Structures are given as C-alpha cells and as structure tokens.
Amino acid sequence: MAKEVIRVGILGLGTVGSGTVQTLQENKKDIEQKIGARLEIKKIAVAHPDKKRPVPLEPGWITGDVNEVMDDPEIDIVAELIGGVEPARSYIDRALDSGKHIVTANKELLAKGGHELLTKAATHRLDFYFEGSVAGGIPIVQAMKIGLAANHIERVVGIVNGTTNYILTQMAQEGKDFAEALAEAQAKGYAEADPTNDVEGYDAAYKIAILASIAFMSRVDPEDIHAEGIARITAGDIRYARELGYAIKLLAIGRQENGSIQARVHPALLPFAHPLASVNDVFNAVFVRGSSVGEVMFFGRGAGALPTGSAVAADILEVARNIRFGSAGRIACTCFENKSVIPMDTIETKYYIRMKVSDKPKVLATIAGVFGEFGVSVESVVQKAVPTGESAEIVWVTHQALEKNVREALEVIARLPVVAEVSNWIRVEE
Ligand code: HSE
C-alpha cells in the first residue's frame, strides 16, 4: 500500500534550511496534492537549539541531537543543509546506510565526493537529489538530468556566483574599484566577512564541477579546474572592455571537444550581444548548448533563503513522489565515462592584454613582433597617452591563440626595456 505520510528530517537551519522550511510550510497544501500524500517535517537537528530562527517552528521540531534524525525509523528523507564536507558526508553516509533518501544543497561535498555518494544511494535504491547545490533557485540540475537528457551537451557556461556578479556590476555601473564594491557587497550581506571562496572563484569551481560532470557524463574533479577570481579586475579594464564592445563577467565554463573536457573559472570579456553579458547584480544564469535543443539559457536568483529553499523543497517533493510510487533510486550517477580535463595551457581563445609602455617610436612594432614570434596574431590595438609624461597604456586584443603561447609571449614582453608593466590579461569568450 502506498505511504500516506512521508516524513522529513532536516540537518541545519541556517539560510537555506529556513528557506526550505518556509517554502514547505507556506505551500504545504499544493505540495501535498502534488505528492498525493501528507508531507511532515519531523525533526530539525541544529547546533544551537535555543537560537531564534526567522521562520515559524512547530513545537518538538528542533533538537540539538543529530541522532534524533539519524536513528528515527519514521524519517524517510534527510535534507542535509549544513554545508561543507564534514560532518555532512558522514551524516549522509549514515542516513543512506539506514535506508533514508537524501536531499542536499552542498556544492562542496557534491563536487568533491558526489560520485561515491550517488553510487551508494543507487546501490541501495535510494534517491539522492541536489538541485540547491548549483545556482540556488535555478532548476539547472534537473533540467540537465531530465529535460536535456537526450542531448549531447557541447557546452555549459554560467554566471554561477552572485557575489562576484554583484561586485562586477557595481564596478561597471558605478565606476567603483574592486575594494569599494566588495566592501559594499559585504555591507549588504551578499559577500561574507571572508570573501575568499566567492572572489577567488572556488565557489564557482565547485558548481561547474557539478554541472560539467552531469553535462559530459564524466567526473570532473574540482582540483582539475582552473579557478581564477576577480580581484585583479580594475574599473579601467571594465572601461576599456566597454569601449571594445564587451562586458567583464566571472564565467564558469565547461566544454567538451574531441572526447576531452575544458572546465575553468575566470573573468572573461563577453560581447554585449551575448545573453550572459546582461545578467547583472546578484543574478545567476546558465547557458547550455545541446546537440538537439541548440542554445538554452536559465536565469534567476542563485542564492538566498527562499530561492535555494525553492530548489531544496522541490527535491523533497520529488523524492516524496518517488517514495509514494515506488520509483526511488531511478536516477543514479551518470558519470559513465572517464574523460580528462585538459590543462589551461592547451586552451585556445582570444585575449585582452593591457600594458604600460614608453611612448616612443617602434614600441608597438617591437611588442607586436614578440607576439608574432609566438604565433599570436593581433586583432586590434588601442593606445591611450598617460598624462604623466612619456608613457602610454596599450590594450591589445588577439585573435584565437594558444594560452601557452600568449603566456610565454607576455613573459618576454614584460622584460622588454620599453615595457613598464604588463598590467593585466583577460580571456575573451565569443
Ligand atoms: N556565495 C554564493 C554566491 C551563493 O555568491 O553566489 C551560495 O552558493
């Protein structure tokens, strides 16, 4: 007989947990109709049971003892909303051993150990859903696992970190420098006191590791992902980029070509006409190209209590449906293949390069000559005089070039007596 009541245990009641509880409670009637059964939160295990919470809680829900979730045979689904690798991994492992289905929003754990956990869940014929781990409220995981499952995915490119997108938007729209925009993001609660994970690109690297693994059906280890942040982008770079017809965005890029994978996170110049170029503030967007569907783009809020709560609550609903209809454990890990992630030196793209040089005859020709020696062809060059005398700032945009060649050419150029500094170089994505 189909189950009449499905019970959920939640681990953690921070931002995501609160948004999940609020979503489940506010839309309880609709959700239960969709499941065809009652859905009850049975216990919420937290580190500080006496802390005031931003959501209404029913008596008896909160416990300081995680075992009250783990050891309760009535709990069917465990929603792990603690974050970080440990103790989350051990709790999930234990919950799977006791036959509980898992929902999580834990990007770091998924990126580092998702394959093993998903495989274990499938072996036990249990569900393991993780929509909230990537791009908050945007249902990109289910879209790729189900809606686009019949495609060969060629590319998945996203703006998947709201904090850095907010900072870059402030720099572009208000002319602020990085430090000022970061301080404002912190004051507004978008950036954490220690912003390293966001601004250095690690958060985005976990997310593209998850998306690329699904898209390309091969495990992508976050350690193989080149992650570069936005701290070295200046308001000047953004102005030059704009003059050239580009926005600067922190992109998480996954591509597959000839059986190998590119997975990288770095700031990039994007033509204004590209749909990702107009994704601003804290919004996220993911652009996918599939063999049959062509191009699709998903846009929405990538963080925050209710958007992420929307994703987690939808996963809980889906697992509950599967329990009710006896169809749990259908969608296992799809990393059937073993494709390698290619090193950055072997990628080919266009480059924006800004440098300070002496404003003298033959300087441009000398530098262009070095680019030429390394097989780097120049597409355009802009020179601006610097008011303080005999130096100039030059911005080059190259044609498609091998990253290794560009890097080596810049090492030589930086040592030329006429070059004061190579100030920045940023990849250009068309
Ligand atoms: N810190 C992330 C962001 C949200 O700024 O997008 C959580 O993944």
Side-chain angles (χ1 to χ4, degrees):
M1 208 180 78
K3 253 175 128 62
E4 300 284 316
V5 186
I6 291 158
R7 293 183 177 87
V8 184
I10 297 177
L11 307 179
L13 192 56
T15 305
V16 178
S18 303
T20 302
V21 170
Q22 189 177 337
T23 304
L24 289 175
Q25 290 305 96
E26 281 181 1
N27 305 325
K28 189 171 171 58
K29 185 162 161 268
D30 293 2
I31 290 171
E32 291 185 334
Q33 279 183 339
K34 288 173 187 169
I35 298 168
R38 275 172 47 213
L39 183 74
E40 278 181 6
I41 296 172
K42 179 131 192 236
K43 280 282 169 209
I44 306 174
V46 296
H48 305 286
D50 299 327
K51 195 167 150 187
K52 205 167 155 24
R53 309 286 166 172
V55 278
L57 300 171
E58 290 187 8
W61 273 0
I62 294 288
T63 172
D65 180 4
V66 76
N67 298 316
E68 287 194 37
V69 172
M70 293 294 166
D71 298 337
D72 184 338
E74 279 192 349
I75 289 180
D76 305 288
I77 306 170
V78 170
E80 181 278 305
L81 306 174
I82 309 169
V85 173
E86 283 298 344
R89 191 204 303 256
S90 305
Y91 292 152
I92 290 177
D93 222 38
R94 209 174 128 193
L96 287 171
D97 284 333
S98 341
K100 301 187 190 310
H101 305 269
I102 303 294
V103 170
T104 175
N106 191 331
K107 64 203 155 206
E108 184 178 356
L109 177 57
L110 252 293
K112 291 180 176 168
H115 181 65
E116 291 73 24
L117 291 171
L118 278 159
T119 304
K120 178 166 181 172
T123 313
H124 289 61
R125 290 202 55 91
L126 293 166
D127 271 342
F128 191 116
Y129 279 56
F130 52 93
E131 184 62 71
S133 64
V134 183
I138 303 177
I140 182 66
V141 171
Q142 287 293 77
M144 300 236 296
K145 276 186 172 269
I146 296 172
L148 300 174
N151 283 257
H152 170 79
I153 304 291
E154 295 156 14
R155 191 177 297 194
V156 50
V157 180
I159 293 172
V160 290
N161 184 269
T163 306
T164 45
N165 205 35
Y166 178 82
I167 292 171
L168 288 172
T169 304
Q170 285 294 307
M171 291 173 72
Q173 293 180 349
E174 310 292 333
K176 292 179 179 156
D177 65 21
F178 170 75
E180 197 186 348
L182 170 61
E184 192 192 311
Q186 284 170 320
K188 291 201 158 167
Y190 297 147
E192 291 177 32
D194 176 359
T196 313
N197 261 340
D198 291 321
V199 303
E200 296 301 337
Y202 306 141
D203 172 83
Y206 293 141
K207 292 168 178 168
I208 197 67
I210 298 168
L211 291 182
S213 301
I214 301 170
F216 310 138
M217 303 194 317
S218 178
R219 180 161 188 261
V220 175
D221 188 329
E223 301 224 326
D224 294 336
I225 296 180
H226 173 89
E228 221 179 281
I230 60 163
R232 66 192 173 81
I233 304 296
T234 66
D237 289 319
I238 293 177
R239 270 197 308 276
Y240 279 122
R242 184 183 298 137
E243 283 177 29
L244 294 162
Y246 296 96
I248 298 184
K249 295 289 178 191
L250 182 71
L251 293 186
I253 299 172
R255 296 168 70 146
Q256 72 172 328
E257 272 163 7
N258 309 322
S260 43
I261 293 173
Q262 284 186 27
R264 48 191 164 101
V265 172
H266 53 73
L269 274 72
L270 258 189
F272 281 122
H274 193 288
L276 287 174
S278 49
V279 174
N280 285 322
D281 297 314
V282 291
F283 282 93
N284 282 196
V286 183
F287 181 89
V288 183
R289 188 188 287 161
S291 54
S292 294
V293 74
E295 293 165 344
V296 225
M297 193 163 110
F298 302 80
F299 170 85
R301 292 185 187 277
L306 282 174
T308 314
S310 154
V312 175
D315 276 354
I316 291 173
L317 188 162
E318 193 58 18
V319 175
R321 263 183 184 148
N322 287 338
I323 294 172
R324 172 125 174 104
F325 292 100
S327 54
R330 278 175 306 130
I331 308 179
C333 187
T334 49
C335 291
F336 308 115
E337 299 185 16
N338 198 1
K339 298 170 184 162
S340 57
V341 175
I342 63 169
M344 273 308 270
D345 261 0
T346 63
I347 71 154
E348 271 189 51
T349 188
K350 292 169 58 166
Y351 294 82
Y352 154 105
I353 300 155
R354 176 168 61 85
M355 56 183 74
K356 286 203 176 65
V357 300
S358 316
D359 199 0
K360 288 200 258 180
K362 286 202 181 161
V363 169
L364 274 185
T366 308
I367 298 167
V370 178
F371 279 132
E373 277 167 36
F374 283 87
V376 178
S377 169
V378 174
E379 181 184 276
S380 67
V381 55
V382 178
Q383 177 178 336
K384 304 243 169 175
V386 171
T388 51
E390 309 208 319
S391 65
E393 191 158 58
I394 303 184
V395 169
W396 308 80
V397 177
T398 72
H399 284 295
Q400 291 272 334
L402 192 66
E403 173 124 344
K404 178 171 185 286
N405 292 350
V406 172
R407 194 174 41 73
E408 287 177 358
L410 289 177
E411 280 164 17
V412 174
I413 289 167
R415 289 197 299 269
L416 293 173
V418 292
V419 173
E421 67 171 27
V422 173
S423 316
N424 213 349
W425 56 294
I426 309 171
R427 298 169 192 90
V428 179
E429 291 292 321
E430 299 289 0

